[in-house]
Amino acid sequence: MFFKRSKKFNITVNNCVMQGKESKTILDTILRARDVDFKYSCGSGECGQCRYHLVSGEVKTSPNAAGLLACQSYPKSDIEIIQ
């Protein structure tokens, strides 16, 4: 059985650098890091609390997402975001 490995990227959030995977949302990566101050609430795209500004890099978002939401975005390269 063959398993595709998920690519890893550096994710910089409010000047904190962490490593994320293309298969995990940006919010999942931030929550795993624990020491990052980042607002969120529902985790499903309903509340909009995890909205962010993309400083550099490329992300994939849900077609139904209302803007750039960390719970609906996946890194496609090394990225830098601020909230």
Side-chain angles (χ1 to χ4, degrees):
M1 188 177 267
F2 176 74
F3 293 100
K4 182 181 175 187
R5 287 192 167 192
S6 184
K7 291 182 184 176
K8 295 180 180 178
F9 300 108
N10 286 327
I11 298 175
T12 305
V13 181
N14 302 333
N15 296 319
C16 295
V17 180
M18 60 204 74
Q19 192 171 72
K21 296 180 180 180
E22 68 179 342
S23 61
K24 299 289 183 185
T25 67
I26 295 170
L27 184 60
D28 287 339
T29 301
I30 292 169
L31 294 178
R32 235 178 339 129
R34 297 184 185 173
D35 294 336
V36 180
D37 185 25
F38 198 85
K39 295 178 195 171
Y40 75 98
S41 185
C42 70
S44 64
E46 296 294 319
C47 71
Q49 287 291 310
C50 64
R51 190 175 317 277
Y52 66 91
H53 173 71
L54 182 64
V55 176
S56 64
E58 191 176 354
V59 296
K60 177 182 173 186
T61 62
S62 167
N64 297 328
L68 293 174
L69 302 176
C71 67
Q72 301 289 304
S73 300
Y74 299 83
K76 291 186 70 176
S77 68
D78 290 345
I79 62 170
E80 180 178 357
I81 67 173
I82 56 174
Q83 187 180 41

